[in-house]
Amino acid sequence: MSVDAFVASATEESKKLWYLKRIKLFAGLSFKEMRHLQRITRMETFEKGALVYLPGDLSDTVYLLKKGRVKISRVNEDGREALLTILEPGEIFGEVEAFSGDRRETLVQVLEKAMVCEIQRADFDQYLHRYPHVGGRVIKLMGVRLRTIESRVGELVFKSAPARLATILLNLSETMGEPREHGIRLQARLTHQNLANLIGTSRETVSIMLNQFSKRGLVIQDHRHIIILDKDQLAKVK
């Protein structure tokens, strides 16, 4: 191997380790544990709109989102999509089906160019067996995600469409909000269809409700970005 190739390889490995340290699940791990993780992961880049996996695919890989955002959805027999969640950098996904050994039941699509670390299920199983405290973290994370989805299902049943939209905007402001002088800007470019899939309504209904929110001074829309102007009043939407 030439000197240039060696330096490039070392730089790439250092970059991977830097990203892995920023995965929430692995925060605080020892250098030995991180180096082991580095050895069993493979970096991949996905362009906006790319599909990471589809329902029915083999579930032999666990994914770590290092950069960008992805959405996890379920698709019914009619082809209608129900958006379950949007993941930010630092999240893990694909682990539930990988651990169960079942084929994929969800669809994962990239919302903006993403960098992902992939770990083969067998390698991850061995890693968790060697470092069981990491397995405890994974179980806790899976529980939190399940409760979040259950809470969203409850909101779909008991809240009006405007209240559901207000709630999801407030939730997104906590995970992907960027403070601005006059409000909080949602960093992801969410389409009206994305939001409709999140709250179980139509794109046209979301467009109407966002226009109403804008007229009330609750939000403004800026090239697919939404800026929340008044969180307190948005929380009061019924």
Side-chain angles (χ1 to χ4, degrees), residues 35-48:
R35 290 290 291 182
H36 186 170
L37 188 65
Q38 179 189 26
R39 289 195 298 270
I40 63 174
T41 57
R42 182 170 63 92
M43 291 177 63
E44 287 288 342
T45 299
F46 292 88
E47 297 297 328
K48 177 181 177 181

Side-chain angles (χ1 to χ4, degrees), residues 97-121:
E97 295 142 326
F99 290 151
S100 68
D102 297 330
R103 287 185 175 269
R104 300 292 185 190
E105 295 181 352
T106 55
L107 174 152
V108 174
Q109 186 174 27
V110 177
L111 290 176
E112 56 188 55
K113 187 174 181 178
M115 295 179 64
V116 176
C117 263
E118 300 180 353
I119 311 177
Q120 292 300 302
R121 179 177 60 202

Side-chain angles (χ1 to χ4, degrees), residues 38-237:
Q38 179 189 26
R39 289 195 298 270
I40 63 174
T41 57
R42 182 170 63 92
M43 291 177 63
E44 287 288 342
T45 299
F46 292 88
E47 297 297 328
K48 177 181 177 181
L51 295 171
V52 181
Y53 58 75
L54 289 163
D57 286 354
L58 291 174
S59 55
D60 56 357
T61 307
V62 176
Y63 301 88
L64 310 171
L65 181 59
K66 301 182 300 179
K67 185 178 180 181
R69 293 178 178 84
V70 302
K71 64 176 182 177
I72 301 180
S73 309
R74 284 185 181 272
V75 181
N76 66 16
E77 295 178 354
D78 298 327
R80 295 185 62 186
E81 179 185 357
L83 188 54
L84 299 179
T85 190
I86 295 174
L87 299 184
E88 295 283 300
E91 300 281 358
I92 182 174
F93 62 97
E95 77 287 355
V96 175
E97 295 142 326
F99 290 151
S100 68
D102 297 330
R103 287 185 175 269
R104 300 292 185 190
E105 295 181 352
T106 55
L107 174 152
V108 174
Q109 186 174 27
V110 177
L111 290 176
E112 56 188 55
K113 187 174 181 178
M115 295 179 64
V116 176
C117 263
E118 300 180 353
I119 311 177
Q120 292 300 302
R121 179 177 60 202
D123 291 332
F124 202 43
D125 282 342
Q126 291 178 7
Y127 184 85
L128 297 182
H129 180 74
R130 184 169 182 176
Y131 307 110
H133 60 286
V134 180
R137 294 185 183 187
V138 173
I139 292 172
K140 183 177 180 180
L141 174 68
M142 290 164 61
V144 169
R145 189 170 294 164
L146 178 60
R147 288 194 297 273
T148 299
I149 292 172
E150 288 176 341
S151 174
R152 182 165 298 151
V153 171
E155 291 170 357
L156 290 176
V157 174
F158 298 111
K159 289 186 176 181
S160 68
R164 297 200 303 269
L165 180 58
T167 298
I168 200 64
L169 292 177
L170 290 170
N171 290 343
L172 292 173
S173 74
E174 296 296 328
T175 58
M176 62 176 68
E178 179 184 35
R180 291 295 181 93
E181 183 178 357
H182 300 297
I184 300 175
R185 180 177 183 263
L186 302 186
Q187 297 182 58
R189 291 189 175 186
L190 299 172
T191 66
H192 290 187
Q193 188 62 59
N194 291 151
L195 293 171
N197 292 341
L198 273 171
I199 66 172
T201 188
S202 68
R203 178 185 59 79
E204 292 79 10
T205 298
V206 166
S207 299
I208 291 171
M209 291 189 296
L210 282 175
N211 286 333
Q212 292 173 342
F213 287 0
S214 296
K215 291 177 181 178
R216 294 169 60 181
L218 305 181
V219 304
I220 56 175
Q221 302 176 71
D222 179 26
H223 298 94
R224 287 194 179 177
H225 285 286
I226 295 174
I227 300 174
I228 297 175
L229 302 177
D230 194 331
K231 290 183 67 174
D232 292 338
Q233 291 302 312
L234 195 61
K236 295 178 181 178
V237 172

Side-chain angles (χ1 to χ4, degrees), residues 14-28 34 37 64-67 88-92:
S14 296
K15 183 191 299 184
K16 184 200 294 185
L17 187 60
W18 186 89
Y19 276 115
L20 285 172
K21 288 178 179 178
R22 280 148 184 79
I23 300 295
K24 298 172 187 176
L25 181 65
F26 306 123
M34 291 302 303
L37 188 65
L64 310 171
L65 181 59
K66 301 182 300 179
K67 185 178 180 181
E88 295 283 300
E91 300 281 358
I92 182 174

